Amino acid sequence: MDYSYSIFILILPALSFLILGLAGMKMSHKTAGLIGTTSLGIVTALSYLTAFEYFTSARNAAGAWQTFVPYNFTWLPMGNLHFDLGVLLDPISVMMLIVISTVSLMVHIYSFGYMHGEKGFQRYYAFLSLFSMSMLGLVLATNIFQMYLFWELVGVSSYLLIGFYYPLKAAVAASKKAFIVTRFADLFFLIGILIFGYYTQSFSFSFAGDIVAGDGIAPLITADATKAMAAGAFILPTALVLMFVGGAGKSAMFPLHIWLPDAMEGPTPVSALIHAATMVVAGVFQIARMFPLWIEYAQPQLSIVVWIGVFTAFYAAAVACAQSDIKRVLAFSTISQIAFMMVALGVCLPGEHGVFDNHSQLGYMASMFHLFTHAMFKACLFLGAGCIIHAVHSNEMAFMGGLRKYMPITHITFLVSCLAIAGIPFFSGFSSKDEIITACFAYSPVVGWIMTAIAAMTAFYMFRLYYGIFWGTENKEAHAHHTPHEAPLSMTIPLIVLTVITVGVGVYTTLGGFLGWGGSFGHFVTASGTDYTIHFNTQIAITSTVIAILSICLATFIYKGERQPVADKLYKTFPRLHRAAYKRFYQDEIW
């Protein structure tokens, strides 16, 4: 297999960033947007080509997908320890290429309509190219050091994009907050990398030398096994937990989550990019990438990942139930869903007799599956929110209500995404969330029931949001000044594409899981790289579906009508609790 073209996946957005950054101001808006979008269109095509070639290639003797390194060169030689840069293709990096390129391309197209006539349009597209390049470099990294390098570039580009509206004080404050909080967490990541490199004399992701190098490339060094064993007792778990702190900062785990809701000050398409495809799943990807080391040397420490994830998922869901700004509801929803992915990685256990088979590592597959499905429907929700804000010129639900009459396409796509995140069968979120809950029950019934309850809260707050925007009380006064209207085609086409993916994946995986079809997500990404046919646990599937439907019915009962007496009564009965949840339980004040 020759994947020599894969280097262009990184080169094209880097070139587009340089061209737009240096010469963008001399171009028209249309030219700048076209350069950015075309380069990403080519990157998306190359990503799909890579995925097609990779997943149709032969597996190795054990039936697992092979790992290819088409490029790897030494950037900084330092004796035995050297800093390498390269491209690594394995199931999770190829899957991430699809996620990042698809969502990023949709955001590029959508921004044509959303950012039309904005001052700094060319600068915006330059930053988008930088962001896409940073994230693609992070997932293609051949070693921890390269991952860290692009990890910091992701931080810089998010800082630039969140603070895009620099004349606004709130945007500048939010970008600084995001930058400082994630830098603080990244300090721990860096210390972890240094400890790891010092004691193992390697920056490799695993100590097994199972990497198929390309032609004419120095094979990646494997660590000195004796040194690695000596380090394993205390040093490796310490290094991995420190790296997890860096991941927790990027993925907005409690208590390092405080930057994410404020990141809503950036343009809405940027929120979609940060939340769906890229930045916040970097922490989840980091643990998945280092997973062989966690399982081998730091199993007891995985419980830290589980419990931080469980608490974060609950906390964020509770806060989302009280927010009135639609982008903040979605922001806390993201924090909660990322926590689901973290929990899924943490609950992976060695199976019977300590064998690491795909069944005992179900959480790993479920986490990556949820990462994939969540990226699609969450991007759709954020871009849908952008269309709504575009129509009513406000983020607050008070200015909305009854919009289904004015915005039919946005209404349908938003509803489909809400059903997907609520975990209703035949929508993509159902299959992935169900596998996570199954893995949680296998780990501990307590964790299983807590996560089921949080999934019920998810369905409730998403439909509170849906009814608040599209049903409920119409703000006739606001709508009289400015009649809401459907967004232009450049904004609705990305919504339709993402909705089609959500429904298509949902129908196939739901039928496949009940009928035992091959070829669903377990065929591509699993813990050991071998094929795994997903079979739903019928009892858990039925229970979680019934609970989700009951939650939706409750939200319908409280929020669908013109008047909302139940909501008003609850608000009057528990004013302090509502205020605390609205204020995010005073986390900012505590910090």
Side-chain angles (χ1 to χ4, degrees), residues 460 558-559 564-575 578:
F460 176 78
I558 298 178
Y559 294 106
Q564 292 150 0
V566 184
D568 298 339
K569 191 175 180 198
L570 282 170
Y571 180 68
K572 286 190 178 109
T573 318
F574 305 107
H578 181 275

Side-chain angles (χ1 to χ4, degrees), residues 518-540:
S520 66
F521 199 81
H523 173 66
F524 302 108
V525 179
T526 51
S528 63
T530 52
D531 203 348
Y532 178 61
T533 303
I534 297 173
H535 290 282
F536 285 142
N537 180 324
T538 320
Q539 190 184 349
I540 292 175

Side-chain angles (χ1 to χ4, degrees), residues 117-455:
E118 287 275 2
K119 188 169 175 264
F121 186 87
Q122 300 93 325
R123 177 168 57 94
Y124 171 81
Y125 268 93
F127 293 164
L128 274 192
S129 295
L130 178 66
F131 201 175
S132 305
M133 192 266 311
S134 312
M135 199 62 207
L136 291 162
L138 193 156
V139 299
L140 291 173
T142 57
N143 57 77
I144 303 169
F145 182 79
Q146 183 186 344
M147 189 183 203
Y148 181 73
L149 204 121
F150 282 99
W151 184 277
E152 292 303 306
L153 272 175
V154 170
V156 172
S157 33
S158 63
Y159 165 76
L160 294 168
L161 281 166
I162 293 165
F164 175 76
Y165 296 125
Y166 61 87
L168 297 176
K169 275 193 175 147
V172 174
S175 65
K176 283 196 287 201
K177 185 173 180 182
F179 193 71
I180 293 163
V181 173
T182 50
R183 271 325 52 71
F184 170 71
D186 291 349
L187 175 65
F188 292 91
F189 188 14
L190 182 60
I191 295 169
I193 292 173
L194 295 174
I195 292 174
F196 182 88
Y198 179 75
Y199 281 98
T200 63
Q201 291 293 300
S202 159
F203 286 119
S204 186
F205 292 126
S206 80
F207 294 151
D210 55 356
I211 289 179
V212 182
D215 294 332
I217 291 161
L220 282 91
I221 53 161
T222 53
D224 183 329
T226 48
K227 281 186 179 163
M229 291 304 167
F234 170 73
I235 297 296
L236 272 181
T238 309
L240 287 168
V241 170
L242 285 168
M243 289 186 210
F244 166 65
V245 176
K250 238 349 159 249
S251 287
M253 295 291 102
F254 186 90
L256 296 167
H257 65 282
I258 54 166
W259 65 271
L260 194 65
D262 293 23
M264 298 297 97
E265 295 295 340
T268 305
V270 170
S271 308
L273 200 53
I274 290 178
H275 284 255
T278 48
M279 183 162 169
V280 291
V281 294
V284 177
F285 179 79
Q286 182 221 61
I287 292 190
R289 175 53 86 216
M290 315 283 286
F291 199 67
L293 298 173
W294 279 95
I295 277 292
E296 198 72 32
Y297 300 101
Q299 274 175 37
Q301 285 72 24
L302 276 171
S303 60
I304 299 173
V305 178
V306 173
W307 288 106
I308 288 178
V310 168
F311 183 78
T312 305
F314 173 73
Y315 162 83
V319 174
C321 290
Q323 298 299 308
S324 60
D325 175 330
I326 62 171
K327 279 172 75 177
R328 297 222 168 183
V329 176
L330 292 175
F332 279 102
S333 155
T334 301
I335 297 175
S336 187
Q337 295 303 305
I338 299 286
F340 263 87
M341 299 171 208
M342 284 287 192
V343 171
L345 284 173
V347 296
C348 287
L349 296 164
E352 288 172 36
H353 315 301
V355 176
F356 299 112
D357 59 352
N358 285 325
H359 194 66
S360 63
Q361 310 289 305
L362 174 65
Y364 178 91
M365 190 275 304
S367 176
M368 295 295 101
F369 190 14
H370 199 56
L371 192 160
F372 177 83
T373 58
H374 173 261
M376 301 304 163
F377 58 68
K378 185 52 65 73
C380 188
L381 286 166
F382 265 108
L383 297 178
C387 293
I388 294 153
I389 294 164
H390 201 255
V392 298
H393 301 299
S394 169
N395 292 14
E396 290 294 327
M397 278 200 248
F399 286 87
M400 296 165 197
L403 289 180
R404 66 186 188 286
K405 302 193 286 272
Y406 305 106
M407 308 178 73
I409 299 176
T410 308
H411 170 225
I412 297 296
T413 53
F414 205 89
L415 175 60
V416 167
S417 302
C418 286
L419 289 165
I421 197 171
I424 301 300
F426 302 108
F427 296 94
S428 64
F430 165 73
S431 316
S432 53
K433 191 174 275 186
D434 217 71
E435 294 298 288
I436 290 180
I437 291 174
T438 306
C440 289
F441 272 108
Y443 177 79
S444 142
V446 176
V447 176
W449 281 113
I450 294 173
M451 295 314 277
T452 306
I454 298 168

